Amino acid sequence: MEKAIAFILVLISSQFVSTAQSKKFPAVEYSYAKMYLFNLAETKERPEGKIWNGSSYAKTKHGEGKIIDEVGTKVLSRITGMDMSSLNLGLSKCFIPRHGIVYYDEKDTPVASISICFECEKIALFPNPYTDVDFSDSFSEERALKQLAGFKRLAKVCELPVYEPADKNLYENLLKK
């Protein structure tokens, strides 16, 4: 029931978001996707910026991830079918992503990823289709916030926690479970 409600909310909110795009993500064939948590422990070192970077997973990847089911896949496709260049640029600059989505091919090999920082409201894509986008023309804070809300709903559909920035120590507590 929760999944159905989340899906309906995403459909309703997506009606208000522009569907203009420069490039759909991912631009590669994939069979399924999983959502992960990473960068859970606070550290003085630079946090890992991508859940999967084209050759390896983040060393801080926690657990085996949650397969994104059919409802979640539709939610994800709605978000990634839009221009994500504003969210890729980000609304702030801390970028300590704690959620990631990895796309897999039919041989269970990773082919693409999205790393999400809900604290600074930014994503990192691999491969990144927005390297040649003129952000002054395409930037939309409203679109980025709606896409971020969609990613939060997707995390909840996958039964992964999303804490508010003031509660970020709660991520580290997940390591103790």
Side-chain angles (χ1 to χ4, degrees), residues 77-119:
S77 293
R78 280 252 187 223
I79 299 166
T80 59
M82 293 182 267
D83 178 354
M84 294 191 299
S85 60
S86 298
L87 199 51
N88 188 63
L89 178 62
L91 304 178
S92 299
K93 293 298 177 193
C94 76
F95 202 59
I96 304 171
R98 300 187 195 279
H99 294 77
I101 298 169
V102 178
Y103 294 84
Y104 296 87
D105 66 14
E106 67 283 343
K107 296 177 184 172
D108 302 319
T109 303
V111 294
S113 70
I114 302 173
S115 299
I116 308 158
C117 179
F118 290 115
E119 294 167 52

Side-chain angles (χ1 to χ4, degrees), residues 37-98:
L37 292 171
F38 70 120
N39 287 326
L40 298 181
E42 292 300 317
T43 180
K44 293 182 191 240
E45 297 186 21
R46 182 179 206 144
E48 295 179 277
K50 292 189 172 92
I51 185 67
W52 183 73
N53 64 13
S55 61
S56 63
Y57 290 99
K59 292 176 187 154
T60 60
K61 177 176 74 76
H62 182 71
E64 296 303 312
K66 303 276 185 162
I67 292 179
I68 299 174
D69 66 12
E70 186 177 336
V71 171
T73 298
K74 289 178 183 177
V75 171
L76 181 59
S77 293
R78 280 252 187 223
I79 299 166
T80 59
M82 293 182 267
D83 178 354
M84 294 191 299
S85 60
S86 298
L87 199 51
N88 188 63
L89 178 62
L91 304 178
S92 299
K93 293 298 177 193
C94 76
F95 202 59
I96 304 171
R98 300 187 195 279

